[in-house]
Each structure stands twice: as C-alpha cells, then as structure tokens.
Amino acid sequence: MSRQQHREELIKFLRSIQRRDSAIKEVDDSQSLVESGLIDSLAALQIVSYLEEAYKIDFGDNAIDPGDLRTVGTILDIIERVTTS
Amino acid sequence: MTPTTLRDAYRSISQLHENEKLAAWLQSKRAIVWLTPRRRRQILFFGALLGGTIALFRRQSQWRDHLSATSWLAPALALPILLALVYLLYLAAIHFSRLPAAVRRRPQIALHLVFWLIIALAWITPEEAGVWKTAIFLIAVSIPYLIWRCGYMLLSGQRGKAAGTAFRDHLFYIWPMWGGTNTPQGKGADYLTQCEAQSPAAYARSVLAGIKLLILARIWDLTKLLMGVLVFSNPKSPLAPSLGGYSLEIPRARTLLTNEIPASLLMTWLSLYLEFIWETLDIAEDSHFWIGLLRLFGFNVFRNTYKPLLAKSIVDFWNRYYYYFKELLVEFFFFPTYVRYFRAWPKLRMFAAVFAAAFLGNIYYHSLRASGIAAGELPKIWVSLGRPRAGYCFLLAVGIYISMLRQQKKRGTGAQSQAGAALPRRLIQIAGVWTFFSVIHIWNLKSPATLFDRVGFFLSLFGF
C-alpha cells in the first residue's frame, strides 16, 4: 500500500472518531489533530487501537511517542516505519 | 466607553504575545538577536550547575534535623556524584540500543530500581560515616526531583531521539536553574526542542508569551491575596490593614474538617467551592511563573494551567489544571499500561490504564515526595502510602474513567454541532466539574483528619 492509500484509510478512520462539533473535511498532513480541535486527546487512544488492529503495530515494543500521534503526517510516518522494518 | 471598545482593549492586552508590531520591534533588539538557541542553552547549562549547587546546600539546611553531621563538604561531595549519575543516564539514553535487553524493555523500572538502591544505601550507611552519610543522604533527597526528568531523558533514548544530543541539551531541564517542583514543567528534551524558537522572530514571540504569563502569575497572586482577606478573613495577609477589616469570613475547609468552627451546610459547601477556586489559582500562579521563565528562554511550551475553571468534563479539567503532571502520569503510567495489557478488552484496557496513572502513579509520585523516605523512617513511608490522599486518587481515577467512557460514547455519532450548546447546558456541565473536584478535594486537604473522618465529613454534606 502506498502512503496515499494509507492516508485515505486513516482519514476515513479519523472521520469515524471525530468530535461531534468539528467535522473533518480537509486536513493538512502537518496540522495538529488535537490542538486544531479535530479530535480530542482521548481519541489518540482510539488511533492506537486502530494502528494495532490495521497494521499490527506493537506500541509496547516500538516505544512510540504519544506525541507522534499528533498529526496525519506523523501517524503515516509511524505506519511506514513499522511496516517497512 | 462602549462594551466593544472595552472588549477590544481587553483583547489587545490579553493577546499581547500576538501583537505583530510589538514582536517586530522586539525581534530587532540586540539582546534578542544575540541570544541564539545555542547561547540560551549554554546559559541554562551553567545556570543548572549553579542552581544544583545552591539546591544541595539548601537541602542540607532543610534536613538539618535528620543529619548528624553537616558541613560544606557534604554538598560539595554530593554534587559531582549526582552529576556523574545523570551523565551515566545520559550515556544510557544516547546508546540505548546497546543496553541489556531487560533494561531496554523496561527502562523506567530499571531507573527507579537504581534510585531505590541509592535510597537503601542512604538507609544503611552508618552514622560513623559522617560527612559521607550526609552526602549520600543529600543525593537520596534529591532523587524525587530528578527521577522524572531523568525518566524523560531515557524515554527520549528509547524512542531513538537522544542520539546525537549533547549532555548540555539535557542537564538544563533535569536541573532547571530556577528550581520548581518535582513535576518536569516542559517535559524533556524532545518536547522542549520541538517548541524551541529558532529565529529572532520566533524568540521575540516566545518572550512576549513569557512576559504575559509572568504578568498573569502576579495577577493570580494578587487575586489570592485579596481572596485571603475578603473571603477567608486572613489577618496575616499584608492586604488586611488596607481593606478595612471587611470580609465574608468563610471558614477554610480544613478547619471545618476537624470541627474547629461550626458552620451551616450552605457555608460548608461554599467553603469547599472557594477552596477549590483558591487551589486552582495557586497552581496557576506557580506554574505560570515556571512556564513564563521557560518561554523567556525561547521554549514556547504549552501552559501548565489553561482556564481549568471553564472545563466541561472531568477529563477536560484534568488536562487543563496541571497539564505537565497529567503528561507525566500519561507517559510513564497510562500509555505503557494501555499498550501492553488487556488489548482484547477495550473497557478493561482503559480502566487499567486510568487506574495505573491516576491512582497508582499518582500515589507513587506523592509517596516519593514524602518526607522521611531518605531518612529511612519506614512508619512515615507507610503513613504516606495510606494517607487520605489515596482516597483522593481513587475517586479521581473513578471520575476520569467514567468521564472518558462518557466522552467515548458521545464521539463518532456524526458531526451535528454542539458548538452552540445552550448556555445553561454549558453552565451545568461546568458546575458538575466544580462540584466533583471540590468534593474529592476533601481527601486532599492538609489536615490531621483521617481517611474515615473525611468520609464522615463527605456524608455530612448530604445531611447524613
């Protein structure tokens, strides 16, 4: 799967967990998801669960910084790093 | 003056750090241009060495009653040993992949074991060791302050972000020259570097944001002083003589807890709410000062306290009230538990992670702070574990867990707008948060009252 395909899947997932008061339409890869109010900090946990299920990422083994879940770009970096290693 | 003019004036003052003209003027100043990130870090590094030395002498003076021998030599011996320890941990962080597998898998547990060994060494060193015993004791009492900061350094190594960093990139936050609490305000190297101003323009904005926070800290300090006189009738306040003796004379909650002063039910509730507001102002004042200083040095980090009294849920409040303590608990307790255990049971998984952080982590953090640990006073350690704060941590954990479940339920059901939620609804939500934290604060009040005395006091609030 290419980065673009991963991105589309991720945006689809983010739409399913978005805050009720801020719909995700366009999101920049470097835009902070929590700070811009698109998702709340609790949703970061759901991103962890999503990445575990969809990409079999083991966060316990890979010591991933929760801060790396802050933007679409950094989440895609994690996916690439783990799927290519 | 119209309301619009007033609102604009308020905005221009409160958004001082975003004033483009002011930022443009400041960024051209010689000092701002000269203070490059490298020079700022050098100042902070040497400041850390000086601050660390002063702190050790202060600790010797504070703990004088526990020491059989005090001498200038003890801090002078303790300082290089502590620096060597931090340097070894720095080497461990930058060569993380070369550490033994067991340490790589659980670096934080390994770090805490090392520190507990030092504490044990302080316990078993005989009095005859004289100044050496004092030096080891000083190292042990410094541990609660250093351990979480060193933890962030190891975390950076574990995430592969420490390689290529210099020792000075770490020492300045491990032992910040202005002191501060055991909670690392601004976290560690990774977050600080991410927020560091790299250009004069960004530095000027950071300085303005820092000045704004320092002003706010003074405002909250004055508000507390006024509250002390006008609400709580504090006769020792420096403002007391100038306010003509006027006061609402609301009793402090801790005096009600021990039945020192009789009060009606209404007065008791009022006292609890006001105590909660006072505590919030107190945290805001201190943390605005630390974060303000960090911003003056170009680290434009998040505030520690950000409008917590406007929070609409328990989780939201916890995120706004003491951000860096919450981050500490999340990074060292919540996240590691969440990613390792009960993956197949989502609710249990979250429950375990919340309790690991808000209950166990919270108790452990405060136990480390307890006086007497380095002195080996085991009864005091036991008391610190079983003290009423455990009740506070337990109720906090339950509240956060329920609040998280409620938020999760609300989320993902479409994008219907709640932004314009009716004012009464928002006020009810805010009042709910105030009530929850005012009530659980009963178990956090400084008072000789036991855990069960506090349960009795809590029940009395509802007429039992």
Side-chain angles (χ1 to χ4, degrees):
Chain A
M1 255 168 116
S2 67
R3 188 174 172 100
Q4 185 55 31
Q5 284 169 315
H6 287 313
R7 190 180 190 284
E8 281 164 19
E9 289 292 315
L10 179 63
I11 297 290
K12 205 163 103 186
F13 167 72
L14 290 174
R15 284 203 180 107
S16 74
I17 61 159
Q18 68 196 354
R19 282 167 56 140
R20 285 201 291 185
D21 52 353
S22 59
I24 297 174
K25 288 172 191 140
E26 287 301 315
V27 58
D28 192 79
D29 274 13
S30 58
Q31 187 180 359
S32 170
L33 297 166
V34 176
E35 282 162 49
S36 59
L38 292 173
I39 61 168
D40 56 40
S41 55
L42 182 58
L45 300 181
Q46 285 178 292
I47 298 175
V48 169
S49 303
Y50 164 74
L51 295 175
E52 284 172 345
E53 279 171 33
Y55 297 98
K56 308 285 175 248
I57 295 175
D58 188 336
F59 283 82
D61 283 350
N62 288 294
I64 286 161
D65 183 350
D68 286 345
L69 302 171
R70 67 186 182 279
T71 69
V72 168
T74 51
I75 298 171
L76 290 173
D77 290 343
I78 293 175
I79 295 172
E80 276 189 355
R81 199 165 73 225
V82 176
T83 51
T84 53
S85 66
Chain B
M1 215 180 228
T2 64
T4 319
T5 328
L6 275 173
R7 200 172 57 219
D8 289 346
Y10 168 74
R11 271 195 193 150
S12 64
I13 295 169
S14 66
Q15 299 305 310
L16 160 92
H17 58 298
E18 284 174 6
N19 187 319
E20 291 299 328
K21 279 184 189 168
L22 202 54
W25 170 79
L26 193 61
Q27 74 183 61
S28 63
K29 295 287 144 200
R30 200 176 292 174
I32 296 288
V33 177
W34 186 81
L35 282 167
T36 57
R38 189 183 160 80
R39 286 193 175 119
R40 295 196 302 261
R41 284 192 181 222
Q42 275 170 347
I43 294 170
L44 286 169
F45 175 76
F46 289 111
L49 292 175
L50 182 68
T53 311
I54 295 169
L56 283 172
F57 276 95
R58 274 203 188 141
R59 286 203 173 104
Q60 181 173 244
S61 161
Q62 280 167 1
W63 291 87
R64 192 174 292 274
D65 296 345
H66 291 79
L67 301 168
S68 56
T70 56
S71 155
W72 64 268
L73 196 57
L77 286 169
L79 184 71
I81 298 172
L82 266 175
L83 280 174
L85 263 174
V86 176
Y87 189 75
L88 281 175
L89 289 169
Y90 157 73
L91 290 179
I94 60 169
H95 301 296
F96 193 83
S97 58
R98 285 197 250 158
L99 295 175
V103 178
R104 266 187 285 132
R105 184 134 182 87
R106 298 273 194 279
Q108 299 301 328
I109 292 177
L111 172 69
H112 282 257
L113 281 176
V114 168
F115 281 136
W116 277 103
L117 280 175
I118 295 167
I119 287 176
L121 184 67
W123 292 350
I124 59 169
T125 306
E127 297 292 340
E128 295 75 49
V131 79
W132 278 103
K133 164 99 182 164
T134 307
I136 296 169
F137 183 89
L138 289 177
I139 293 167
V141 291
S142 303
I143 284 171
Y145 182 77
L146 300 174
I147 196 163
W148 306 107
R149 292 170 166 89
C150 290
Y152 272 115
M153 182 166 65
L154 274 186
L155 211 52
S156 179
Q158 191 181 12
R159 291 168 183 162
K161 293 179 180 174
T165 57
F167 185 51
R168 70 152 195 272
D169 296 326
H170 296 277
L171 190 72
F172 80 89
Y173 67 83
I174 287 178
W175 211 318
M177 64 184 193
W178 45 78
T181 67
N182 294 349
T183 303
Q185 310 262 356
K187 304 205 268 182
D190 298 349
Y191 180 62
L192 287 167
T193 305
Q194 188 190 310
C195 300
E196 189 173 18
Q198 297 296 336
S199 64
Y203 184 39
R205 278 197 298 275
S206 180
V207 168
L208 287 177
I211 291 170
K212 179 187 159 182
L213 273 195
L214 293 175
I215 295 170
L216 262 182
R218 278 308 290 159
I219 292 173
W220 296 144
D221 181 34
L222 272 174
T223 311
K224 267 174 52 198
L225 277 173
L226 281 171
M227 240 183 121
V229 179
L230 297 175
V231 177
F232 295 123
S233 183
N234 177 9
K236 290 177 191 163
S237 168
L239 290 183
S242 46
L243 289 171
Y246 177 76
S247 174
L248 291 172
E249 296 190 356
I250 308 283
R252 294 304 294 248
R254 60 175 175 271
T255 60
L256 297 178
L257 195 56
T258 46
N259 289 322
E260 283 172 44
I261 302 168
S264 67
L265 197 57
L266 181 69
M267 191 64 95
T268 307
W269 273 103
L270 201 57
S271 170
L272 282 175
Y273 281 118
L274 289 165
E275 195 76 50
F276 162 70
I277 294 170
W278 197 90
E279 284 288 333
T280 308
L281 288 176
D282 195 40
I283 294 275
E285 181 211 337
D286 282 348
S287 43
H288 282 358
F289 179 71
W290 311 127
I291 299 297
L293 290 177
L294 265 174
R295 288 180 175 182
L296 287 188
F297 277 92
F299 298 101
N300 206 353
V301 295
F302 275 153
R303 285 188 194 185
N304 189 40
T305 308
Y306 184 72
K307 300 180 180 176
L309 296 176
L310 297 179
K312 290 189 286 184
S313 70
I314 293 169
V315 173
D316 188 24
F317 178 85
W318 210 46
N319 212 19
R320 290 160 171 252
Y321 173 66
Y322 206 137
Y323 176 74
Y324 291 106
F325 181 53
K326 183 226 70 176
E327 284 291 289
L328 182 155
L329 293 178
V330 166
E331 300 214 42
F332 294 118
F333 296 94
F334 184 96
F335 205 67
T337 310
Y338 189 81
V339 298
R340 281 203 176 102
Y341 305 107
F342 309 116
R343 288 190 206 178
W345 298 280
K347 280 188 180 170
L348 180 61
R349 185 183 195 187
M350 194 185 288
F351 177 84
V354 168
F355 267 74
F359 181 64
L360 293 177
N362 206 340
I363 289 180
Y364 179 68
Y365 172 92
H366 285 90
S367 303
L368 275 190
R369 268 182 23 170
S371 60
I373 283 197
E377 293 171 353
L378 293 174
K380 275 195 179 174
I381 300 168
W382 178 246
V383 167
S384 81
L385 285 172
R387 65 190 173 162
R389 199 182 154 84
Y392 172 84
C393 297
F394 178 78
L395 293 169
L396 177 69
V398 171
I400 289 172
Y401 177 64
I402 293 170
S403 180
M404 283 172 110
L405 284 184
R406 280 167 60 97
Q407 279 198 7
Q408 216 168 35
K409 262 188 196 167
K410 279 183 196 166
R411 198 186 311 114
T413 52
Q416 67 256 52
S417 176
Q418 264 211 328
L423 184 65
R425 183 185 160 83
R426 268 187 282 164
L427 288 177
I428 289 169
Q429 288 169 331
I430 291 170
V433 173
W434 282 35
T435 305
F436 176 78
F437 282 97
S438 299
V439 167
I440 70 165
H441 192 57
I442 292 171
W443 284 271
N444 201 26
L445 288 167
K446 281 178 190 151
S447 158
T450 65
L451 187 77
F452 295 106
D453 289 342
R454 292 167 202 249
V455 173
F457 180 75
F458 166 73
L459 291 174
S460 75
L461 292 173
F462 303 95
F464 294 108

